[in-house]
Amino acid sequence: MQNYLDSLNPEQRQAATHGAGGKAAGPLLVIAGAGSGKTNTLAHRVAHLIVNGADPRRILLMTFSRRAAAEMGKRVERIAGRALTGGRGTPVAVSLPWSGTFHGIGARLLREHAAGIGLDPAFTIHDRGDSADLMNLVRHDLGLSRTEARFPAKATCLAIYSRTVNEDGVLDDILPKAFPWCAAWSAELKKLFAAYVEAKQRQQVLDYDDLLLYWREMLGVPHLAEDMGGRFDHVLVDEYQDTNRLQAAILIGLKPGGEGVTVVGDDAQSIYSFRAATVRNILDFPRQFSPPADIVTLERNYRSTVPILAASNAVIGLASERYTKDLWSDRQGGGKPLLVTVADEGDQARYVVTEILANREAGALLKQQAVLFRSSHHSGPLEVELTRRNIPFVKFGGLKFLEAAHVKDVLAVLRFVENPRDRIAGFRVLQLLPGLGPTTAAEILDRVAEVAHPAEAVAGWRPPPRIAGDWPDFVALCRNLRESPAWPADLERARLWYEPHLERVHEDAVIRRNDLLQLEQIAGGYPSRERFLTELTLDPPDATSDESGPAMLDEDYLILSTIHSAKGQEWKAVFLLNGVDGCIPSDLGAGTTEELEEERRLLYVAMTRARDQLDIVIPQRFYVTQQRRAGDRHLYAQRTRFIPDRILDRFEPRLWPGATFAQAARAASRPAVDLAARMRGRWG
């Protein structure tokens, strides 16, 4: 029975077996350093609980993506299934019905309790784009789009609202700190947000933030808190350093005494404050309970070589506040991380490409190598050089699947059928009909909002002659989807109705139709239309042919990624661009101590993605196109402040190419020669 734990090191085993078998123990904090086997340890902890008698249906496991939850579930099933049979015979089937993201679990609980908390169980969920559109409608209705002074745009208004909700804060405190240019509009924003909430409630829609906010508010009602907390014996949270105050409040609300609570994370990898995540959650976690939570620290790194870890430890060791840990590894060999000084961004691109090709000749695939950067635009010169040298690459970050217009159109059809009061979905669908503009759409939706049976209001509306030909088909579609649901065939019916409009609106209709066929394949993995609309909105796929590049037909390709997108990944060789002040830390992230500390953690995350090779490239000059003054248009940079002289012995400095750089330096020190004057003088 215990063989399933044999693959764990002592600290991992201590975390996995915390408490007495399958019974709820006191709170546990697992500080899991980069590359320390965090996911494997958490999976073994869940499996250990099940093997020792815990009911999988009473285990709540929350991760930060549905894919991570699915991967965790597979590991738990494999480990526990084999252990329960002693490694002999067919493994026992094990599933975790309450495994998912905070937002996904929140949506499920809200639907269960909807009738008792003033929600329609058929509520729909807006993605960020739809939420911004609804915010804009309310903004316009209040006259805030016609102010004499510039009022914040819809996306900014939504960002302010979301930040205030997720920080569980007060608007007047949030504005000066995060949106100082909007501070003068505090009174108007409060009015806007109140009207936005009322509009959502009238239309029976929720946005992302509502899924957490309603859940937290439910936990403030004693009988609901008792019901939700009582259904789970164990609550486990992955990546706890990435939670915001609202999510931390939910965890405490579920288990105020900490019984059965396990959180796993790494304060040194807390890099998402722009999403309102706060490192304070993991730093303060042990003191949330009495007695305080037990702490297990995972320091053995299975990813990187000793020299890379020594440099990474030195960088994060300068942090002002952290859990004390020093990653170690038995992966000997390899050189120190390089600090490569180059003349400018052009040389930076040429250096990286040269090294990548050299690694490829030595046997490393392109996809085993990655180039990381603080901001997406930092890779521009490199992308040009890669294209010139015919090196295929994939850059992480781009148009999301649900942001494509044709996908949003079809999903809006389903959402409008599911909830005819959803005004944003209704506007989008109705205006697909030729001749039906926003005024007529508003007239129909106003009628829907005023009656008890909105579906009947749509069917009973008498269209003007200009749209009379298309209206019956639309009404028939809505009636069929509502009265004769057949999932996932519903999506095919919606697509077939939409295809003539697709061909009318988009020139590349054939390509976009492929996305809709892919959407139908995705739909087959969901048990119902409601689950499909909910989970696809909360955790959308990334790929779409809408405005994307050509298909990747090469068998190998290089990875380009922002540091944020690289978190959780690893590569044989990592090249970090622009290791200079102004890029890391970013100019925008060097304002407060907290911002600087997060920038330091960003560098640490980038460094710990590397297994065998880490090159930090330091361009000396940056060409600045924004400057309009005469003369030199270059800025001279210095090495990032996060690698000061006192830890420089953990790195190996290098000039590239030495001769070229030296010649450039000598040339820069010589007086300028006015050859133009000489040319003119020849004819004087």
Side-chain angles (χ1 to χ4, degrees), residues 426-572:
F427 261 114
R428 188 174 194 100
V429 172
L430 292 172
Q431 292 183 82
L432 289 173
L433 301 176
L436 200 159
T439 301
T440 305
E443 175 190 328
I444 298 171
L445 295 173
D446 287 342
R447 175 173 177 163
V448 165
E450 294 169 356
V451 300
H453 302 288
E456 295 178 5
V458 173
W461 184 72
R462 293 291 174 261
R466 67 181 183 277
I467 57 175
D470 293 290
W471 185 253
D473 286 344
F474 174 68
V475 171
L477 173 71
C478 293
R479 180 182 296 112
N480 289 338
L481 292 177
R482 186 177 62 254
E483 297 177 359
S484 305
W487 188 254
D490 290 353
L491 189 53
E492 181 184 14
R493 287 192 279 181
R495 173 180 60 80
L496 292 174
W497 171 83
Y498 174 69
E499 280 188 354
H501 303 291
L502 176 69
E503 294 170 357
R504 176 174 51 83
V505 174
H506 298 289
E507 293 182 359
D508 55 348
V510 174
I511 296 175
R512 293 173 185 261
R513 182 177 180 273
N514 291 335
D515 282 338
L516 301 180
L517 293 174
Q518 180 184 355
L519 192 65
E520 290 181 28
Q521 291 182 338
I522 295 172
Y526 295 84
S528 67
R529 185 168 68 201
E530 174 265 308
R531 285 282 296 276
F532 170 75
L533 291 173
T534 297
E535 296 189 22
L536 194 68
T537 302
L538 296 180
D539 191 20
D542 293 329
T544 172
S545 59
D546 185 12
E547 300 180 8
S548 67
M552 176 56 65
L553 302 178
D554 204 291
E555 83 285 358
D556 194 14
Y557 47 84
L558 179 68
I559 304 297
L560 308 186
S561 175
T562 63
I563 301 173
H564 285 99
S565 296
K567 188 170 176 290
Q569 305 297 315
E570 61 180 64
W571 294 275
K572 182 179 179 67

Side-chain angles (χ1 to χ4, degrees), residues 126-347:
H126 277 182
D127 62 19
R128 292 295 185 192
D130 291 333
S131 298
D133 288 342
L134 180 57
M135 182 74 75
N136 203 40
L137 284 175
V138 178
R139 179 176 173 272
H140 181 74
D141 290 343
L142 294 178
L144 296 174
S145 59
R146 299 181 296 275
T147 55
E148 291 186 9
R150 179 172 63 99
F151 189 77
K154 64 178 183 179
T156 303
C157 292
L158 182 64
I160 296 171
Y161 172 85
S162 182
R163 185 70 171 258
T164 304
V165 168
N166 284 289
E167 284 197 13
D168 202 15
V170 177
L171 180 62
D172 288 334
D173 295 333
I174 300 296
L175 286 175
K177 178 179 67 174
F179 303 91
W181 64 94
C182 303
W185 295 104
S186 176
E188 290 83 357
L189 286 169
K190 289 177 183 177
K191 183 178 179 181
L192 171 63
F193 296 159
Y196 172 65
V197 170
E198 291 177 1
K200 288 188 293 181
Q201 292 176 351
R202 284 196 307 272
Q203 298 175 31
Q204 290 297 326
V205 299
L206 302 183
D207 59 27
Y208 279 144
D209 304 319
D210 288 331
L211 300 175
L212 300 182
L213 188 59
Y214 273 72
W215 189 3
R216 199 280 305 274
E217 292 301 319
M218 286 168 64
L219 290 168
V221 180
H223 73 275
L224 293 176
E226 183 179 357
D227 174 68
M228 283 186 284
R231 71 165 58 191
F232 303 116
D233 297 325
H234 303 277
V235 180
L236 304 96
V237 182
D238 194 14
E239 304 285 8
Y240 194 66
Q241 79 280 351
D242 293 333
T243 55
N244 57 43
R245 289 190 176 92
L246 202 54
Q247 290 164 325
I250 288 170
L251 179 63
I252 301 301
L254 284 171
K255 295 293 180 182
E259 305 89 355
V261 172
T262 297
V263 301
V264 182
D266 182 6
D267 56 298
Q269 297 186 67
S270 178
I271 59 173
Y272 290 109
S273 65
F274 64 92
R275 297 180 185 167
T278 171
V279 71
R280 298 297 340 160
N281 283 352
I282 194 166
L283 291 175
D284 297 340
F285 179 80
R287 298 187 292 275
Q288 296 287 332
F289 308 99
S290 181
D294 291 330
I295 302 175
V296 176
T297 304
L298 308 183
E299 295 181 304
R300 182 176 181 181
N301 179 284
Y302 293 90
R303 176 185 300 155
S304 305
T305 61
V306 170
I308 291 175
L309 285 183
S312 303
N313 286 336
V315 167
I316 201 62
L318 300 177
S320 60
E321 184 179 7
R322 70 186 186 103
Y323 285 106
T324 302
K325 63 179 178 300
D326 285 303
L327 299 182
W328 63 274
S329 173
D330 56 10
R331 292 196 63 220
Q332 302 296 331
K336 295 179 181 179
L338 297 182
L339 292 179
V340 184
T341 301
V342 297
D344 53 30
E345 292 175 282
D347 266 5

Side-chain angles (χ1 to χ4, degrees), residues 617-635:
V617 192
I618 305 172
Q620 293 294 284
R621 297 191 305 169
F622 289 85
Y623 187 73
V624 181
T625 57
Q626 294 93 332
Q627 295 182 14
R628 291 291 181 264
R629 63 181 175 13
D632 189 11
R633 307 183 99 176
H634 291 82
L635 294 180

Side-chain angles (χ1 to χ4, degrees), residues 63-129:
T63 64
F64 275 78
S65 75
R66 193 163 53 87
R67 289 177 291 277
E71 172 61 25
M72 188 73 70
K74 290 178 182 176
R75 291 200 190 197
V76 170
E77 181 178 357
R78 183 175 65 252
I79 297 166
R82 291 176 180 173
L84 289 170
T85 61
R88 297 180 298 274
T90 303
V92 175
V94 176
S95 64
L96 295 172
W98 286 96
S99 174
T101 65
F102 267 94
H103 292 86
I105 297 296
R108 288 179 61 185
L109 290 171
L110 288 180
R111 289 204 191 276
E112 283 191 11
H113 293 86
I117 59 174
L119 283 176
D120 186 332
F123 67 79
T124 50
I125 302 171
H126 277 182
D127 62 19
R128 292 295 185 192

Side-chain angles (χ1 to χ4, degrees), residues 332-380:
Q332 302 296 331
K336 295 179 181 179
L338 297 182
L339 292 179
V340 184
T341 301
V342 297
D344 53 30
E345 292 175 282
D347 266 5
Q348 174 174 248
R350 286 185 284 274
Y351 167 78
V352 169
V353 171
T354 298
E355 290 298 305
I356 286 169
L357 290 177
N359 288 342
R360 181 173 177 270
E361 290 302 313
L365 296 174
L366 291 177
K367 64 179 63 176
Q368 292 177 319
Q369 306 177 69
V371 183
L372 308 184
F373 29 87
R374 171 64 178 84
S375 300
S376 182
H377 66 273
H378 288 174
S379 66

